[in-house]
C-alpha cells in the first residue's frame, strides 16, 4: 500500500488535474488511502493529516461520510492537533441530524472541564456550532458553571454557547439569566459582547425575562457612554469608533428593552442623542453605528426631537455616494413611512431619483417607497415618474410596479379621464405583466364614465392599430369597439382629434385580432362578440359580419365555435331579437368583495349552455364573462320563445336606467308585458270581487280573486268556492285571510291555479259566503264565462 | 449569522461555515444557487441582496467573494465590518494573504474564523486578542514525526 502524500501535496495534485475526470481519479486514490489509514490503530502524527485531507475533499463536494467515526475518535485523542482537526471535522461532517453526533457528547463534556483553555475552547466552539437539542440539554449545567467561574477567554465563549443552547432549548433560558446579569459588570469587551448577545436572546424569547432585564438599562447606558466618550483605545478602535461591534449590540438590546416602555425609553434618550450627533459618519463603520441608533430611536418611545434627528440622518444617508448606505436608508424609511409619513415625504425627491439607479436592489426599494409616498397632492407628478420607471424597469419588478400604479391611480385619480389614460398607458407599456382582474376592472371603469366613451373608444382603437400583442389591452379594446362602435364610427369626438373610421376599418381591426396567432382564445372570444355587437351598430356591412361569424362556426376552438353557432342562429332565426340582445350594456356595478363579476356570471353561463345550443329555445349570446349576470340568467331561465310583441317593447325601455331593463325581462318569464286587466265579476251589498288572469304555461293559468268590503260594517268568515268544467283541473290556494274590514280597509286575495289541457271553453262558478257583523250568514253565486287575457 | 461562504470568481468553494443544521444536499443546493446569484451581480452594485427569506451581505476581496447570510434583525453594515475584520485577521496571520494561502491552509482559515466568530456571532472584538489566541493554540500543536520530513503545517 503506497503511503499517502502530505496534505499540501494532495491539494497541489488536485489543482493540477486538467480535467474533471483526472481530478476524480486523484481524489478516489487518495480517499482509498485515507480509508486504509483510518482502519489502522495508530500511525503516529499522520492521523490528523489524513482527516484534514478528507475535509478538503469534502469541501470540493465529494462524499466523506466514512470520516465521521474518525472524527469521533480524533476528538477523544489526548493530542491537541488531533483534537483540533477532529472537532473541525465534527463541525463539517457531523450535524445534529447525524446519529454519530451524539457520540461526541461525552468527549465534549470531558473537554469542557479540561485544564487547558484551548481545549475547552474547541469544545465550546463545536457545541455552539452544531450542538443538537439533546446535547445542549446534557451540557447546559457545564456551560453555566463556565459562565460563572473561569477566565475571560472562556467566559466570552461560554456566553455565546449559551446563546446557541437557548436557541435550541428555549426553557434553558431561565438557567442562564442570573449569570448573564452578572456578566455585565465585566470589563473585558469580549465578555461584555457575549453577555449583551445572551441577554438579547433571553429577552427576545421570554417576555418575563424582558421585564427583569429592563433594570439593566442604566448599566447599558453607562457602558455605552464609556465607549462613546472615552479616549482612544487602540485595541478596540476601528476608524475612530471605539468597539463598534459592541456599540451596535448594545444599541440593539436597548431597542428591545425600550420598546413600548416609557421609563426605559426616557433613560436612553440622552445617550441616543449623543451617539447620533457625535458619531463620525465618513466611514462605513460609523454609519453602521448610526444606522443601529436610528433603528432604535424609531422603535422606542422617543421624544419628537429625537425622531426628527433620526429621520434627518436617514435623509443624509439617502444623499450618500455609497450605494449601500442609500439602500439601507430606504429600507429604514420603508418601515416608518406609515407612522412618520410627512417626515419621509420631505425626501420624496431623492427617493424618486433612486428609481433611476443602476442597481436592481436599490430600484426595488425605491419603487416600494415611492408607491407608499403617493398621495392626493402629488399624484400627477409621482405618476409621471412611475410611468417613466415602468417603461424602463427590470422585468422582475414590472408586475409589482404595474399593480402599484393601478392601486395608486384608483385611490387618488384626480379625474376620470386621467385614470383611464393612466391605465391605458400601463397596458401599452407593460400589458403582459398586469393581473387578470385588470380587464374587468377597466371595463367597469369605462362603462361608468359615460361622457368619455367616445374618447376612450377612439384611443383604444388607435392603440389596437399600433400593437395587438398585449392581451389585456386587446381585450379591452375589442370590448369597447363592440360596445361603443357607433361612437367610433361617428367620427367626431370632443376630447381627441377627429379621425374618420369607416365600418370596414373597424371590422378590419377586429378581424386582425381574430386571425392573429398572438391572440389567445379568450381574446378571440372578445373579438368575435365585439364583431357581433357591431352588427346592430353599423348599417352597411352586416353581411360581412354574417360571413365572419359563420366561418367561425367550424372553428377548432370549442368556445369560439359555440359562440359562432349561437350568433349564427341569432342572425337566422331570431333576427328580430338581435337588436335587443345586442343592446348597449347597462352600467356594471363593482362587486365590493373584490371578486370580478365574471365569477358569478360564469356559473350561470355554464348551466344554460347545454340547453341553448341545440334547442329552439331563446339563444344565449355568450358575452364575455364580466357582463351583468342577471341579463344572462333571465334570458336563459325562460323556456318558451318570447312573444314578438314583447321584444319590440324592449328597445324603448332601455333608454331608461339599466335596472328597468332587467325588471322587464324578469317580468317576461311570468306575465305578458302589459299588466293584465282587473275584471270585476261580482258586486252586491257592498261586497265586490275582482279577478285577474295570468297565463302561466300553454294550458295553465292562475286566477287571482280579490275581494273587498265597502260597507260600514266588518265581514267575517269570508270564503270562496269555485267550480270548473270537468276536463279542467282546479287547485285553490290558501286565501290571504277571511276577514274583510269595513270601508275597504283591507282586501282578501285568493289564487286559483287552473289547467286546461283540452283547451275547452273555460267557465268558472264561484260561491261566495260570509257572515255579516250582525252575525247572519250570507251566500251567493256568480258565473264567469269569459276570462280576459287568455 | 446563518452561514458564511468564501468562493472564487469561478465559483469554486474555498470555505463554508454553517451555523444552522441543514442536510448535505440542502447545503449544496443553497451554495450553488447563492454562488450563481452573487456572481451574476455587476461590480458597482449594492452589497446587500434579498435572497429567499434571508439577507445576504457579500464583498469581493481580490479574487475571493466573502458572502454571509444574516437574519432579519441583523445590521447589514456591521456585517460588512465583520467580513472586513476577518480579512484583516487572515492578512495579519498569513502576511499579505492571497487566495492560495486559503486554499493550501484551509484548516488554518477555519481555526482563525473559529477564534473570531462563535455560533454565528462575534466573540472577540479586539484584533490583537484573536491573533494572540491563535498563536498560543498553534504552539500547542505537536510536531509531526512522519515519513516525509516536511515541516509542520
Amino acid at each position: 500500500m503506497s503511503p499517502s502524500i502530505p496534505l499540501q501535496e494532495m491539494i497541489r495534485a488536485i489543482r493540477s488535474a486538467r480535467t474533471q475526470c483526472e481530478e476524480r481519479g486523484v481524489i478516489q486514490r487518495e480517499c482509498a488511502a485515507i480509508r486504509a489509514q483510518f482502519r489502522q490503530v495508530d500511525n503516529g502524527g499522520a492521523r490528523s493529516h489524513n482527516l484534514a485531507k478528507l475535509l478538503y475533499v469534502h469541501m470540493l463536494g465529494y462524499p466523506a461520510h466514512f470520516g465521521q467515526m474518525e472524527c469521533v475518535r480524533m476528538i477523544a485523542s489526548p493530542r491537541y492537533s488531533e483534537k483540533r482537526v477532529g472537532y473541525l471535522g465534527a463541525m463539517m461532517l457531523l450535524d445534529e441530524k447525524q446519529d454519530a453526533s451524539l457520540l461526541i457528547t461525552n468527549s465534549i463534556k470531558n473537554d469542557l472541564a479540561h485544564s487547558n483553555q484551548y481545549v475547552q475552547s474547541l469544545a465550546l466552539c463545536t457545541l455552539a456550532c452544531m450542538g443538537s437539542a439533546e446535547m445542549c440539554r446534557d451540557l447546559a449545567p457545564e456551560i453555566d458553571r463556565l459562565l460563572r467561574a473561569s477566565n475571560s477567554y472562556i467566559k466570552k465563549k461560554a456566553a455565546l454557547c449559551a446563546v446557541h443552547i437557548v436557541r435550541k432549548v428555549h426553557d434553558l433560558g431561565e438557567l442562564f439569566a442570573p449569570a448573564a446579569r452578572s456578566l455585565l459588570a465585566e470589563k473585558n469587551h469580549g465578555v461584555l459582547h457575549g453577555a449583551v448577545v445572551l441577554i438579547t436572546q433571553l429577552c427576545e424569547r421570554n417576555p418575563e425575562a424582558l421585564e427583569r432585564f429592563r433594570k439593566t438599562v442604566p448599566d447599558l447606558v453607562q457602558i455605552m457612554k464609556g465607549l462613546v466618550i472615552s479616549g482612544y483605545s487602540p485595541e478596540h478602535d476601528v476608524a475612530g469608533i471605539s468597539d463598534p461591534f459592541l456599540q451596535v449590540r448594545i444599541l440593539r438590546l436597548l431597542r428591545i428593552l425600550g420598546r413600548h416602555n416609557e421609563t426605559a425609553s426616557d433613560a436612553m434618550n440622552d445617550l441616543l442623542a449623543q451617539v447620533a450627533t457625535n458619531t463620525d459618519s465618513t466611514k462605513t463603520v460609523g454609519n453602521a453605528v448610526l444606522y443601529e441608533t436610528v433603528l432604535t430611536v424609531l422603535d422606542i418611545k422617543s421624544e419628537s426631537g429625537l425622531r426628527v434627528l433620526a429621520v434627518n440622518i436617514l435623509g443624509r444617508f439617502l444623499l450618500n455616494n455609497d450605494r449601500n448606505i442609500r439602500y439601507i436608508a430606504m429600507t429604514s424609511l420603508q418601515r416608518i413611512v406609515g407612522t412618520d409619513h410627512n417626515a419621509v415625504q420631505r425626501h420624496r425627491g431623492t427617493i424618486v431619483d433612486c428609481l433611476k439607479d443602476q442597481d436592481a436592489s436599490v430600484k426595488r426599494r425605491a419603487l416600494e417607497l415611492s408607491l407608499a409616498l403617493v398621495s392626493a397632492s402629488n399624484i400627477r407628478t409621482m405618476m409621471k415618474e412611475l410611468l417613466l420607471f415602468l417603461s424602463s424597469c427590470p422585468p422582475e419588478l414590472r408586475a409589482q410596479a404595474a399593480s402599484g400604479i393601478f392601486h395608486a391611480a384608483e385611490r387618488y385619480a384626480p379625474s376620470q379621464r386621467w385614470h383611464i389614460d393612466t391605465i391605458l398607458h400601463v397596458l401599452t407599456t407593460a400589458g403582459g405583466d398586469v393581473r387578470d382582474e385588470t380587464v374587468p376592472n377597466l371595463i367597469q371603469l369605462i362603462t361608468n364614465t359615460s361622457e368619455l366613451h367616445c374618447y376612450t373608444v377612439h384611443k383604444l382603437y388607435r392603440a389596437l392599430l399600433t400593437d395587438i400583442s398585449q392581451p389585456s389591452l386587446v381585450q379591452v379594446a375589442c370590448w369597447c369597439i363592440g360596445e361603443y362602435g357607433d361612437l367610433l364610427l361617428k367620427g367626431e369626438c370632443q376630447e381627441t382629434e377627429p379621425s374618420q373610421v369607416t365600418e370596414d376599418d373597424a371590422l378590419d381591426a377586429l378581424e386582425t385580432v381574430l386571425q392573429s396567432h398572438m391572440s389567445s382564445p379568450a381574446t378571440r372570444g372578445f373579438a368575435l362578440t365585439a364583431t357581433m355587437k357591431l352588427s346592430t351598430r353599423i348599417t352597411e356591412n352586416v353581411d360581412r359580419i354574417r360571413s365572419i361569424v359563420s366561418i367561425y362556426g367550424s372553428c377548432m376552438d370549442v368556445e369560439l365555435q359555440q359562440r359562432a353557432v349561437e350568433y349564427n342562429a341569432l342572425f337566422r332565426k331570431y333576427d328580430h331579437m338581435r337588436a335587443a340582445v345586442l343592446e348597449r350594456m347597462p352600467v356594471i356595478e363593482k362587486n365590493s368583495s373584490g371578486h370580478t363579476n365574471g365569477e358569478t356570471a360564469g356559473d350561470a353561463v355554464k348551466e344554460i349552455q347545454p340547453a341553448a345550443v341545440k334547442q329552439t329555445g331563446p339563444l344565449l349570446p355568450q358575452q364575455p364573462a364580466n357582463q351583468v349576470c342577471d341579463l344572462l340568467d333571465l334570458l336563459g331561465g325562460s323556456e318558451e320563445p318570447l312573444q314578438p310583441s314583447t321584444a319590440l317593447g324592449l328597445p324603448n325601455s332601455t333608454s331608461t336606467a339599466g335596472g328597468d331593463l332587467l325588471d322587464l325581462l324578469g317580468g317576461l318569464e311570468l306575465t305578458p308585458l302589459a299588466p293584465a286587466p282587473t275584471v270585476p265579476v261580482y258586486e252586491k251589498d257592498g261586497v265586490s270581487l275582482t279577478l285577474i288572469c295570468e297565463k302561466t304555461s300553454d294550458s295553465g293559468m292562475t286566477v287571482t280573486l280579490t275581494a273587498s268590503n265597502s260597507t260600514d260594517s266588518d265581514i267575517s268568515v269570508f270564503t270562496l268556492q269555485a267550480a270548473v268544467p270537468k276536463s279542467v283541473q282546479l287547485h285553490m290556494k290558501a286565501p290571504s285571510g277571511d276577514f274583510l274590514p269595513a270601508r275597504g280597509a283591507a282586501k282578501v286575495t285568493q289564487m286559483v291555479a287552473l289547467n286546461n289541457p283540452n283547451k275547452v271553453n273555460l267557465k268558472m262558478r264561484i260561491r261566495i259566503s260570509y257572515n255579516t257583523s250582525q252575525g247572519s250568514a250570507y251566500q251567493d253565486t256568480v258565473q264567469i264565462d269569459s276570462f280576459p287575457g287568455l | 449569522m446563518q452561514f458564511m461562504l468564501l468562493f472564487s470568481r469561478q465559483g469554486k468553494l474555498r470555505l463554508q461555515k454553517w451555523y444552522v443544521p441543514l442536510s448535505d444536499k440542502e447545503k449544496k443546493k443553497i451554495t450553488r444557487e447563492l454562488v450563481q446569484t452573487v456572481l451574476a451581480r455587476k461590480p458597482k452594485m449594492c452589497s446587500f441582496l434579498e435572497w429567499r427569506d434571508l439577507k445576504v451581505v457579500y464583498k469581493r476581496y481580490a479574487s475571493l467573494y466573502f458572502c454571509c447570510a444574516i437574519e432579519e434583525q441583523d445590521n447589514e453594515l456591521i456585517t460588512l465590518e465583520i467580513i472586513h475584520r476577518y480579512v484583516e485577521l487572515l492578512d495579519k496571520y498569513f502576511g499579505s494573504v492571497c487566495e492560495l494561502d486559503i486554499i493550501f491552509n484551509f484548516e488554518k482559515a477555519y481555526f482563525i474564523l473559529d477564534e473570531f466568530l462563535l455560533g454565528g456571532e462575534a466573540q472577540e472584538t479586539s484584533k490583537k486578542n484573536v491573533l494572540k489566541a491563535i498563536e498560543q493554540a498553534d504552539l500547542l500543536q505537536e510536531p509531526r514525526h512522519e515519513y516525509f520530513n516536511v515541516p509542520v503545517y
Side-chain angles (χ1 to χ4, degrees), chain B residues 3 11 20 23 29-30 33 38 40 44 47 52 61 68 78 91 96 108 115 118 131-132 153:
Chain B
F3 57 85
V20 286
S23 73
K29 184 159 180 266
I30 292 175
E33 284 178 21
V38 171
K44 285 272 167 59
S47 285
R52 298 201 186 173
Y61 286 86
C68 297
I78 209 77
D91 196 51
S96 227
K108 292 290 193 191
E115 274 302 326
L118 197 91
L131 291 166
K132 203 164 67 177
Y153 64 94

Side-chain angles (χ1 to χ4, degrees), chain A residues 3-4 6-8 11-12 15 37 45-46 48-49 52 55-56 58-59 61 79-81 84-85 88 91-92 95-97 116 118 121 124-125 128-129 153 156-157 160-161 167-168 189-190 193 197 204 235-236 238 243-246 248-249 252 255 284-285 287-288 291-292 323-325 327-328 359-362 364-365, chain B residues 12-24 26-28 41 44-50 55 71-78 80-82 85 100 103-108 110-111 114-119 121-129 132-134 136-138 140-142 144-148 150 153:
Chain A
S4 63
L7 169 66
Q8 302 203 328
I11 295 177
R12 213 165 279 129
R15 280 172 63 77
Q37 299 276 336
S48 53
H49 190 51
L55 294 178
Y56 183 80
H58 171 74
M59 192 155 60
R79 296 153 106 152
Y80 180 72
S81 1
R84 214 179 188 192
V85 180
L88 180 63
M91 286 190 272
M92 284 176 79
D95 55 48
E96 61 178 43
K97 301 203 176 116
N116 187 320
Y118 296 105
S121 144
L124 284 166
C125 183
C129 181
Y153 180 74
K156 73 182 188 212
K157 292 181 191 258
L160 290 176
C161 202
R167 277 205 197 114
K168 284 284 180 205
H189 280 226
H193 188 274
V197 176
E204 274 172 355
E235 197 171 320
H236 300 287
V238 180
D243 206 339
F245 304 104
L246 183 57
V248 163
R249 289 315 302 234
R252 188 163 143 186
R255 179 156 81 239
T284 309
V285 63
N287 286 327
Y291 175 45
E292 199 73 30
R323 199 172 260 131
N324 292 336
I325 309 284
Y327 178 88
I328 291 294
D359 185 322
S361 316
V362 173
R364 181 196 301 269
R365 285 269 166 263
Chain B
K12 285 203 112 81
L13 201 59
R14 298 299 177 208
L15 186 144
Q16 50 172 336
K17 188 77 189 180
W18 297 84
Y19 294 108
V20 286
L22 291 167
S23 73
D24 241 2
E26 284 168 328
K27 284 183 193 167
K28 283 213 176 95
R41 307 265 293 178
K44 285 272 167 59
M45 288 176 100
C46 198
S47 285
F48 314 128
L49 54 104
E50 278 122 30
K55 296 201 277 197
E71 276 135 357
E72 189 59 41
Q73 326 90 293
D74 290 329
N75 182 328
E76 291 97 323
L77 294 173
I78 209 77
L80 276 176
E81 287 302 310
I82 287 181
R85 174 59 65 90
L100 282 177
I103 295 171
F104 282 95
N105 299 285
F106 71 95
E107 77 279 14
K108 292 290 193 191
Y110 275 103
F111 296 150
D114 286 337
E115 274 302 326
F116 176 43
L117 301 178
L118 197 91
E121 308 280 350
Q123 58 176 293
E124 179 56 66
T125 54
S126 152
K127 220 178 351 184
K128 192 178 83 181
N129 288 347
K132 203 164 67 177
I134 300 272
Q136 294 291 322
D138 279 349
L140 282 181
Q141 294 252 141
E142 296 86 358
R144 244 182 26 201
H145 312 292
E146 37 53 276
Y147 19 121
F148 284 94
V150 289
Y153 64 94

Side-chain angles (χ1 to χ4, degrees), chain A residues 25-43:
Chain A
V26 174
I27 287 175
Q28 269 174 0
R29 229 181 18 248
E30 279 305 315
C31 282
I34 293 168
R35 261 184 157 121
Q37 299 276 336
F38 284 170
R39 264 174 268 148
Q40 288 180 10
V41 174
D42 182 36
N43 45 14

Side-chain angles (χ1 to χ4, degrees), chain A residues 678-740:
Chain A
T678 310
V679 179
V681 294
Y682 177 82
E683 176 76 51
K684 201 170 173 186
D685 294 340
V687 175
S688 63
L689 189 66
T690 61
L691 176 149
I692 299 175
C693 253
E694 290 167 23
K695 200 163 157 64
T696 52
S697 67
D698 212 16
S699 59
M701 56 188 285
T702 308
V703 173
T704 308
L705 298 160
T706 312
S708 73
N709 170 16
S710 56
T711 63
D712 286 334
S713 49
D714 299 336
I715 284 173
S716 58
V717 198
F718 184 85
T719 42
L720 293 170
Q721 289 162 306
V724 289
K726 278 211 188 78
S727 59
V728 181
Q729 292 143 17
L730 174 133
H731 176 64
M732 288 193 84
K733 309 249 169 84
S736 64
D738 66 348
F739 184 79
L740 276 174

Side-chain angles (χ1 to χ4, degrees), chain A residues 267-497:
Chain A
M268 47 179 97
N269 242 315
D270 286 342
L271 170 72
L272 291 171
Q274 198 168 22
V275 177
T277 38
N278 286 350
T279 308
D280 176 21
S281 58
T282 47
K283 295 262 173 63
T284 309
V285 63
N287 286 327
V289 175
L290 278 174
Y291 175 45
E292 199 73 30
T293 314
V294 166
L295 288 179
T296 303
V297 167
L298 295 174
D299 220 7
I300 63 172
K301 291 183 176 297
S302 46
E303 322 175 319
S304 56
L306 194 52
R307 276 188 101 83
V308 169
L309 183 57
V311 178
N312 286 345
I313 292 178
L314 289 179
R316 273 205 334 262
F317 277 1
L318 274 179
L319 298 167
N320 196 308
N321 284 329
D322 188 344
R323 199 172 260 131
N324 292 336
I325 309 284
R326 287 209 295 275
Y327 178 88
I328 291 294
M330 285 197 280
T331 316
S332 319
L333 286 171
Q334 184 78 35
R335 281 190 226 189
I336 58 166
V337 74
T339 45
D340 298 72
H341 192 92
N342 293 330
V344 183
Q345 278 283 4
R346 252 178 264 134
H347 304 286
R348 200 180 73 235
T350 328
I351 293 169
V352 168
D353 280 338
C354 287
L355 280 172
K356 307 190 188 92
D357 198 300
Q358 297 290 332
D359 185 322
S361 316
V362 173
K363 271 199 174 103
R364 181 196 301 269
R365 285 269 166 263
L367 174 65
E368 282 172 16
L369 209 43
S370 304
L371 288 172
L373 286 176
V374 172
S375 73
S377 49
N378 60 29
I379 180 72
R380 282 189 195 265
T381 37
M382 285 300 279
M383 194 51 79
K384 261 202 227 102
E385 296 288 343
L386 287 170
L387 289 173
L388 197 60
F389 172 71
L390 188 65
S391 49
S392 61
C393 84
E396 63 266 14
L397 290 178
R398 271 219 202 105
Q400 193 183 357
S403 60
I405 289 176
F406 281 149
H407 199 70
E410 206 174 295
R411 282 177 73 186
Y412 301 114
S415 74
Q416 299 274 36
R417 177 178 161 168
W418 181 93
H419 194 174
I420 291 180
D421 278 341
T422 307
I423 298 185
L424 289 180
H425 193 129
V426 175
L427 285 180
T428 41
T429 34
D433 296 294
V434 298
R435 288 203 310 269
D436 296 329
E437 297 103 67
T438 318
V439 171
N441 283 345
L442 179 55
I443 290 179
Q444 187 261 328
L445 183 64
I446 291 175
T447 54
N448 270 320
T449 38
S450 46
E451 65 274 13
L452 288 175
H453 284 165
C454 189
Y455 167 74
T456 314
V457 71
H458 270 95
K459 257 200 112 144
L460 282 169
Y461 173 73
R462 267 186 235 128
L464 194 62
L465 287 181
T466 36
D467 175 19
I468 58 168
S469 62
Q470 309 270 28
S472 319
L473 182 64
V474 171
Q475 286 175 1
V476 177
C478 288
W479 190 90
C480 282
I481 294 176
E483 190 65 14
Y484 306 122
D486 46 333
L487 294 175
L488 180 65
L489 298 166
K490 223 162 48 177
E492 39 158 88
C493 183
Q494 293 163 321
E495 311 260 346
T496 174
E497 310 121 35

Side-chain angles (χ1 to χ4, degrees), chain A residues 507-788:
Chain A
L507 287 172
D508 281 340
L510 289 174
E511 244 188 311
T512 318
V513 174
L514 270 174
Q515 290 163 355
S516 163
H517 63 279
M518 286 191 278
S519 305
S520 70
T523 312
R524 287 219 181 87
F526 270 88
L528 190 61
T529 306
T531 313
M532 190 61 196
K533 281 198 221 173
L534 278 182
S535 71
T536 51
R537 288 160 178 68
I538 62 176
T539 47
E540 290 164 10
N541 284 359
V542 184
D543 288 330
R544 182 174 171 187
I545 295 180
R546 284 187 79 143
S547 62
I548 293 175
V549 166
S550 60
I551 290 172
Y552 279 88
S554 44
C555 172
M556 289 299 288
D557 184 83
V558 175
E559 167 81 18
L560 282 179
Q561 188 188 107
Q562 186 165 351
R563 290 192 191 208
V565 165
E566 287 166 5
Y567 294 157
N568 258 326
L570 200 56
F571 268 123
R572 274 185 278 116
K573 286 197 213 169
Y574 297 100
D575 208 37
H576 49 270
M577 277 170 46
R578 192 160 47 88
V581 164
L582 299 172
E583 253 294 331
R584 189 67 67 85
M585 295 296 302
V587 170
I588 301 170
E589 291 201 359
K590 193 167 183 117
N591 195 324
S592 57
S593 68
H595 294 299
T596 64
N597 291 328
E599 285 174 16
T600 40
D603 298 335
V605 169
K606 281 190 192 63
E607 287 155 25
I608 297 157
Q609 268 176 27
V613 173
K614 293 283 194 299
Q615 284 171 8
T616 55
L619 287 175
L620 200 53
Q622 287 263 18
Q623 311 283 2
N626 59 346
Q627 302 308 312
V628 177
C629 49
D630 300 308
L631 188 60
L632 299 170
D633 259 331
L634 295 160
L635 281 181
S638 59
E639 289 298 312
E640 80 268 6
L642 301 168
Q643 313 262 347
S645 55
T646 57
L648 285 172
L650 285 174
N652 296 334
S653 49
T654 50
S655 58
T656 59
D660 294 336
L661 174 64
L662 302 176
D663 285 349
L664 288 164
L665 283 177
L668 282 168
E669 278 186 84
L670 305 167
T671 59
L673 187 57
T678 310
V679 179
V681 294
Y682 177 82
E683 176 76 51
K684 201 170 173 186
D685 294 340
V687 175
S688 63
L689 189 66
T690 61
L691 176 149
I692 299 175
C693 253
E694 290 167 23
K695 200 163 157 64
T696 52
S697 67
D698 212 16
S699 59
M701 56 188 285
T702 308
V703 173
T704 308
L705 298 160
T706 312
S708 73
N709 170 16
S710 56
T711 63
D712 286 334
S713 49
D714 299 336
I715 284 173
S716 58
V717 198
F718 184 85
T719 42
L720 293 170
Q721 289 162 306
V724 289
K726 278 211 188 78
S727 59
V728 181
Q729 292 143 17
L730 174 133
H731 176 64
M732 288 193 84
K733 309 249 169 84
S736 64
D738 66 348
F739 184 79
L740 276 174
R743 280 170 240 112
K747 297 185 200 275
V748 164
T749 49
Q750 184 157 19
M751 302 227 323
V752 181
L754 297 169
N755 195 16
N756 188 3
N758 297 344
K759 302 264 195 320
V760 304
N761 205 8
L762 188 62
K763 295 184 206 295
M764 189 192 279
R765 192 173 292 169
I766 298 181
R767 182 186 295 171
I768 303 162
S769 53
Y770 56 86
N771 288 353
T772 60
S773 54
Q774 287 85 25
S776 52
Y778 186 81
Q779 252 186 29
D780 205 351
T781 324
V782 65
Q783 174 140 336
I784 306 167
D785 291 326
S786 71
F787 290 79

